[in-house]
Amino acid sequence: MAIKNQSFSTILVCLLLYFFTTLSSAQSNFEISGGGDGGYWVLLQPSIGISAMHMQVLNNDKVIIFDRTDSGPSNLTLLDNQCRQNDDVLHLDCTAHSVLYDIASNTFRPLMVQTDTWCSSGSVDSEGTLVQTGGYHGGERVIRTFTPCQDNSCDWVELTKYLWDRRWYASNQILPDNRIIVVGGRKVFSYEFYPKNESLPSSYYLRFLIETRDPGEENNLYPFLHLLPDGNLFIFANRRSILFDYVKNKIVKRFPVISGEDKRNYPSTGSSVLLPLRLTGENGGDNVSVTIEAEVMVCGGAPAGAFIKAEKEQVYVKASTSCGRIKVSDPKPVWSMELMPMPRVMTDMLLLPNGDVILINGAANGTAGWEDAVNPNLNPVLYLPEEEPTRRFVVMKPSTIPRMYHSSAALLPDGRILVGGSNPHRRYNFTSYPYPTELSLEAFHPPYLAPQTAHLRPSILSVELMDRTVSYKQVFSVTFVLALFRPSGTISVTLILPSFTTHSFAMNQRMVVLDVINVAQLSTFAYKVMVNGPTNARVAPPGFYMMFVVHAGSPSHAVWLKVM
């Protein structure tokens, strides 16, 4: 990227830069393990009182975390003598099953959730409110919301209107028109929308969900959903996938079956991401005839029959070692297969700000389910999509905490990966060996956060947008400081839509690489990058995104932008 020189320098910029690099290089007061180019781990909380089965990062730099209400009492008491009297397990439960975690202060407070959220789904709407759907028993048709606030007044709200169908192990996706589509669930072969259209008689039947269901195992729950730039929905279940027009209730295309015999969805739980959408070059312009390349990646899973063997025989077969990539925007797409360094089931896949993918959590043998897996995957693996195939997988430093069934992970605005949960038991069990119920929170620091690379990381000073709100195709600029600019280190600006993560699938996760117009040098350390905003709502549905400036693979701390 060519840099234009301008004569503009201030003592303030230098002081800010000095503060930033000093802060980035400072040693943490928390417990640290690992280091070097393999990243490192930090234990944030030995216990938050609940097991982190579900996670969602919110635009006020807090994370809402919850598990289920039918696992018995948690280790965290509700505030102000609150109790629930409608519990499926306890007549009276005065313990919390949800918390709000504050990223900056590393603190948390209990929240009150009224009905069972076990194995539910969610999306954040354009105003930043988490819309959470379904669960188990009394919660299976419930719609709950959580709206972020700046004080401690916000809590869960349960709506009086219910879903059409029971949604247990369903998946959600935010849509361009700000509706949320909810797909599937256990023994449910339909989809529906939130807000609910009361004039409709029922939900919409989707035969594909029956076609992909294995007798006795299912292997099609928590289907992988990805909104594509053409406005259609990519749906993957078991080993098959379709391009679905949810407006016309019509299958537009059936993609080839993924290679190999491994199953990919719950309980043979793999994971999936839509690789970054790059609005560079022609893709960044107004030419509607240009097709934005969209590529889906699916990794891990388990062989057919693995769930039954684990459940009935306590035999834990080796998990899948393969990943598949398919360019769904191609006229005749085909799967390209790759081998991971180790087998993985129940692994989380998250997009990183520099375009890499991290695979984290899970096991090497067995499947999802109670006591149905062994041999935890303690090592995260970085996947570098743009590298040569032989150099794409890089094994990172291991954690010391197994994260098995009912664990979760989320990308934070500072580039860390928040990791929590793991409860492969029907109730809380802190004495089970070797996989007790895990209440801790830890953070994995990818290599781009190593102290020795602090001089490569940009720090955002300002964004020239009113209320940090960007309209589609709007040109805007970002000013940042950088200690050392590498001539070969290009500047990119990326938007990431935070995911609702549970059961190894990060719903709604999305990364858009914006079109950079130019980069101007303002002083020795200060720069300004001018970019085009997202092209339309199919590329970037309206809502709050984390915006990163990335230099030489090193991302800044994000700022929140509202896209509309």
Side-chain angles (χ1 to χ4, degrees):
M1 181 66 61
I3 303 292
K4 297 180 180 179
N5 288 295
Q6 294 185 13
S7 58
F8 175 82
S9 179
T10 65
I11 296 176
L12 176 61
V13 167
C14 295
L15 288 174
L16 285 170
L17 179 63
Y18 175 79
F19 173 77
F20 164 68
T21 54
T22 302
L23 181 64
S24 299
S25 301
Q27 292 296 318
S28 171
N29 292 322
F30 302 121
E31 183 180 337
I32 298 177
S33 62
D37 292 339
Y40 62 95
W41 289 86
V42 174
L43 180 64
L44 300 174
Q45 289 286 349
S47 173
I48 58 170
I50 68 169
S51 191
M53 188 188 302
H54 312 77
M55 281 188 188
Q56 174 70 60
V57 178
L58 302 172
N59 67 71
N60 61 348
D61 289 331
K62 297 183 181 180
V63 186
I64 191 163
I65 301 171
F66 56 98
D67 58 0
R68 45 190 286 225
T69 64
D70 66 343
S71 55
S74 74
N75 284 20
L76 183 65
T77 302
L78 287 163
L79 300 176
D80 302 324
N81 298 316
Q82 295 182 89
C83 297
R84 292 183 306 114
Q85 296 181 337
N86 62 340
D87 189 74
D88 296 312
V89 176
L90 299 173
H91 174 67
L92 187 69
D93 187 0
C94 302
T95 64
H97 298 278
S98 177
V99 303
L100 190 65
Y101 175 74
D102 186 286
I103 298 170
S105 65
N106 187 33
T107 58
F108 57 93
R109 67 176 176 92
L111 299 174
M112 166 68 88
V113 60
Q114 292 285 350
T115 52
D116 199 353
T117 52
W118 181 21
C119 301
S120 54
S121 52
S123 296
V124 174
D125 69 15
S126 63
E127 295 305 311
T129 293
L130 171 62
V131 178
Q132 193 271 322
T133 49
Y136 189 56
H137 285 163
E140 64 186 11
R141 292 178 56 229
V142 173
I143 303 170
R144 309 168 190 84
T145 63
F146 186 91
T147 301
C149 61
Q150 297 304 317
D151 54 22
N152 290 331
S153 63
C154 44
D155 210 329
W156 286 103
V157 174
E158 297 207 352
L159 305 188
T160 55
K161 294 182 179 179
Y162 289 84
L163 297 163
W164 283 116
D165 296 327
R166 62 192 297 267
R167 299 295 174 184
W168 190 34
Y169 298 93
S171 295
N172 291 18
Q173 173 64 54
I174 188 71
L175 299 174
D177 60 6
N178 198 36
R179 289 187 301 166
I180 295 165
I181 189 169
V182 188
V183 180
R186 175 152 282 171
K187 298 180 181 179
V188 174
F189 312 107
S190 66
Y191 67 94
E192 60 184 286
F193 298 95
Y194 173 87
K196 183 177 178 180
N197 187 341
E198 298 292 345
S199 65
L200 295 175
S202 67
S203 59
Y204 298 84
Y205 173 68
L206 183 57
R207 182 174 178 79
F208 174 74
L209 297 174
I210 293 181
E211 297 170 348
T212 54
R213 184 175 185 267
D214 290 337
E217 279 197 308
E218 297 175 288
N219 287 327
N220 68 341
L221 300 180
Y222 277 124
F224 304 144
L225 309 181
H226 300 296
L227 175 68
L228 301 184
D230 65 1
N232 291 312
L233 197 64
F234 175 88
I235 306 178
F236 184 105
N238 199 320
R239 296 177 57 235
R240 298 167 57 186
S241 50
I242 58 174
L243 182 65
F244 187 63
D245 185 336
Y246 54 84
V247 176
K248 298 179 180 178
N249 189 27
K250 176 182 178 182
I251 295 177
V252 178
K253 179 185 293 186
R254 292 183 182 268
F255 295 104
V257 176
I258 192 170
S259 302
E261 299 301 320
D262 294 329
K263 309 294 184 168
R264 307 290 180 165
N265 294 82
Y266 184 92
S268 297
T269 303
S271 192
S272 177
V273 294
L274 174 66
L275 291 175
L277 301 174
R278 300 185 179 275
L279 306 184
T280 55
E282 288 184 324
N283 289 343
D286 296 331
N287 187 353
V288 294
S289 65
V290 173
T291 299
I292 297 174
E293 185 174 282
E295 188 170 10
V296 170
M297 188 172 183
V298 175
C299 291
F307 175 71
I308 293 175
K309 284 182 179 293
E311 285 275 303
K312 296 184 176 181
E313 305 172 30
Q314 289 74 57
V315 173
Y316 308 104
V317 301
K318 187 176 77 170
S320 174
T321 58
S322 70
C323 287
R325 289 171 61 168
I326 184 169
K327 292 185 179 179
V328 291
S329 52
D330 283 358
K332 295 182 179 180
V334 295
W335 287 96
S336 174
M337 304 304 294
E338 301 177 79
L339 290 178
M340 296 182 286
M342 68 275 289
R344 302 191 82 103
V345 65
M346 298 185 292
T347 192
D348 288 283
M349 292 177 68
L350 296 174
L351 296 167
L352 298 182
N354 60 2
D356 294 342
V357 180
I358 191 166
L359 292 82
I360 200 166
N361 297 339
N365 294 76
T367 70
W370 307 127
E371 327 289 344
D372 288 341
V374 295
N375 297 334
N377 273 314
L378 299 175
N379 294 83
V381 171
L382 275 186
Y383 179 80
L384 317 177
E386 305 301 316
E387 277 286 358
E388 294 296 321
T390 58
R391 301 175 58 188
R392 286 178 180 164
F393 290 100
V394 183
V395 180
M396 298 283 102
K397 297 288 184 181
S399 172
T400 59
I401 303 174
R403 299 291 181 180
M404 306 289 275
Y405 187 42
H406 288 156
S407 58
S408 59
L411 173 70
L412 299 180
D414 55 21
R416 294 177 298 160
I417 307 300
L418 183 68
V419 178
S422 187
N423 184 21
H425 317 294
R426 292 185 181 274
R427 300 287 182 264
Y428 279 5
N429 187 335
F430 303 108
T431 60
S432 178
Y433 180 83
Y435 313 122
T437 299
E438 187 58 60
L439 306 183
S440 67
L441 275 187
E442 58 185 336
F444 178 68
H445 295 233
Y448 56 59
L449 291 178
Q452 59 266 32
T453 63
H455 61 286
L456 298 177
R457 291 199 291 274
S459 181
I460 296 174
L461 294 181
S462 64
V463 182
E464 294 183 10
L465 284 169
M466 183 71 70
D467 298 324
R468 290 193 176 175
T469 299
V470 59
S471 302
Y472 296 107
K473 300 180 183 178
Q474 181 180 355
V475 176
F476 68 97
S477 61
V478 182
T479 302
F480 61 95
V481 291
L482 181 62
L484 177 63
F485 178 81
R486 283 187 173 175
S488 60
T490 57
I491 298 292
S492 60
V493 179
T494 61
L495 300 179
I496 293 185
L497 190 65
S499 60
F500 179 92
T501 304
T502 189
H503 290 75
S504 303
F505 181 44
M507 302 176 196
N508 312 291
Q509 181 179 211
R510 191 175 205 80
M511 176 174 170
V512 180
V513 183
L514 298 180
D515 181 42
V516 172
I517 300 171
N518 64 61
V519 181
Q521 185 170 4
L522 305 179
S523 70
T524 304
F525 301 115
Y527 301 84
K528 178 181 286 190
V529 57
M530 185 172 292
V531 295
N532 284 307
T535 48
N536 54 58
R538 299 184 303 278
V539 170
F544 286 90
Y545 289 72
M546 294 183 288
M547 186 195 74
F548 298 87
V549 174
V550 183
H551 163 254
S554 295
S556 67
H557 191 295
V559 298
W560 289 96
L561 289 191
K562 186 177 183 181
V563 175
M564 59 178 297

